[in-house]
Amino acid sequence: MDNRTRILQEALRLFSNRGYEAVGVQEICEAAEITKPTLYHYFGNKIGLLEAILHHWGVDFDQRVSVAAEYHGDLPLTLNRLVKAFFELAALHPEFYRLQLALWFAPPESEAGKTILPSLKRQHDSIEALFRKAADDHGNMRGRDRIYAISFLGLVNSYAAIFLNNLTQLDDELCFRILHHFMHGIYS
Amino acid sequence: MDNRTRILQEALRLFSNRGYEAVGVQEICEAAEITKPTLYHYFGNKIGLLEAILHHWGVDFDQRVSVAAEYHGDLPLTLNRLVKAFFELAALHPEFYRLQLALWFAPPESEAGKTILPSLKRQHDSIEALFRKAADDHGNMRGRDRIYAISFLGLVNSYAAIFLNNLTQLDDELCFRILHHFMHGIYS
DNA sequence: CTTTTATTGTACCGATGAGTATAATAAAAC
DNA sequence: GTTTTATTATACTCATCGGTACAATAAAAG
């Protein structure tokens, strides 16, 4: 493994476990067994390192979400695929997902929070677009794409958070239950 | 206003805007126009200050949520009251709510995240208890109190976050839409 | 008034923060 | 082999970090 990758991985581990601000560059260097100028050579500065992390793991994230959100006429199937995509990502990249959750409602003026905003917006937009297209087939849903996208993400990420705290399994049954609730409400 | 209260308010403002770790004690002292030993006199250390903040504003929060979550046989009414309680809290204490959201999915080993956990758990437990009681009147809901509490909080906090970013108003119509979706799903 | 307690400050500590100039070493190109 | 480029390090900067010893000041109690 090359140094650059090892720095990314160690930094991700530390940031996801303790937060971007609480972990200093020196600690990351010690974990990655390199010195500070090496880190600065590759990433320019601390925020550059975070940007590199968000890009490195974000590519797979964005791709899986946007592919899963493609609507071809079957909304339950698409939503099922989408929930599954998020769950897979939580299982494949737990640390990255955890970092993303930590920054989801980050303070408005925080460096890390501002840096991740474009990524979060992309995710939201993919899902909102899905509901917008689905509204063509479901008249009742018209004009609600935004509210449903917000709700969907709120739901999925709440469960992802609980999974990442080892308090649940993200299995097919849970997927079914979440979607059932989302689509049909609490009385059915 | 006494110094202690001014420290609490300035710290809350800074923490909610930039995050607990990113704001140093010196900066809080300058904002509150006192010196560090004064702050340490009142709060012992930095985490003591955060604990005092969580307690100071958390009392009202806990009380409003637990009162609103009392179930007397009418679930839609109770849920409506509960959503309204959260929205009121967002409007009355935006900075405190923002801080709470920032720490909701905080990194597991972060000082601030660990400190707020008891508060978050209390909120969750009030809501889970509500759904447990409501399940006596709605057989279909039995065994789902946890999943509904998680979903409910995921929803409400997602909207609170958007409100706090000035992207929406938390009015009666939005309250209705959120609850309608929560209770009846997306097709109705 | 004096004494005690509460409140507030001056000056300081050692460690760590993000970052940098320059040199050394390793690898690639010719 | 030499030269160029890429990679990595030593040693350092100034600022800030959370916190503290002790003193000074203000307020309360007697």
Side-chain angles (χ1 to χ4, degrees), chain A residues 53-128:
Chain A
I53 286 169
L54 296 179
H55 181 260
H56 186 92
W57 278 277
V59 164
D60 190 29
F61 215 104
D62 285 355
Q63 211 232 346
R64 284 173 191 257
V65 170
S66 65
V67 166
E70 279 168 20
Y71 181 68
H72 300 297
D74 186 338
L75 183 59
L77 177 72
T78 310
L79 290 177
N80 186 275
R81 231 171 36 212
L82 199 46
V83 173
K84 285 243 170 59
F86 277 98
F87 286 4
E88 274 163 21
L89 286 161
L92 278 176
H93 309 304
E95 288 170 338
F96 184 68
Y97 208 121
R98 184 179 274 128
L99 179 63
Q100 204 169 225
L101 287 181
L103 299 178
W104 192 22
F105 298 131
E109 292 302 319
S110 64
E111 259 201 335
K114 289 197 277 188
T115 302
I116 202 172
L117 265 185
S119 297
L120 297 178
K121 187 172 188 307
R122 279 198 301 276
Q123 284 173 39
H124 174 94
D125 289 348
S126 294
I127 295 161
E128 194 173 315

Side-chain angles (χ1 to χ4, degrees), chain B residues 44-56:
Chain B
N45 51 30
K46 192 180 179 184
I47 199 69
L49 172 58
L50 180 63
E51 281 162 359
I53 286 168
L54 296 180
H55 181 261
H56 187 92

Side-chain angles (χ1 to χ4, degrees), chain A residues 14-85:
Chain A
L14 291 164
F15 290 159
S16 77
N17 210 36
R18 304 227 309 284
Y20 172 79
E21 292 286 347
V23 178
V25 171
Q26 181 58 37
E27 189 177 355
I28 295 163
C29 292
E30 280 159 17
E33 296 178 319
I34 48 96
T35 61
K36 281 204 263 188
T38 302
L39 186 147
Y40 284 102
H41 169 76
Y42 285 107
F43 304 106
N45 51 31
K46 191 180 180 183
I47 200 68
L49 172 58
L50 181 63
E51 282 163 358
I53 286 169
L54 296 179
H55 181 260
H56 186 92
W57 278 277
V59 164
D60 190 29
F61 215 104
D62 285 355
Q63 211 232 346
R64 284 173 191 257
V65 170
S66 65
V67 166
E70 279 168 20
Y71 181 68
H72 300 297
D74 186 338
L75 183 59
L77 177 72
T78 310
L79 290 177
N80 186 275
R81 231 171 36 212
L82 199 46
V83 173
K84 285 243 170 59

Side-chain angles (χ1 to χ4, degrees), chain B residues 60-76:
Chain B
D60 190 31
F61 215 103
D62 284 356
Q63 210 231 346
R64 282 172 192 259
V65 169
S66 65
V67 167
E70 278 166 19
Y71 181 69
H72 301 298
D74 186 336
L75 183 61

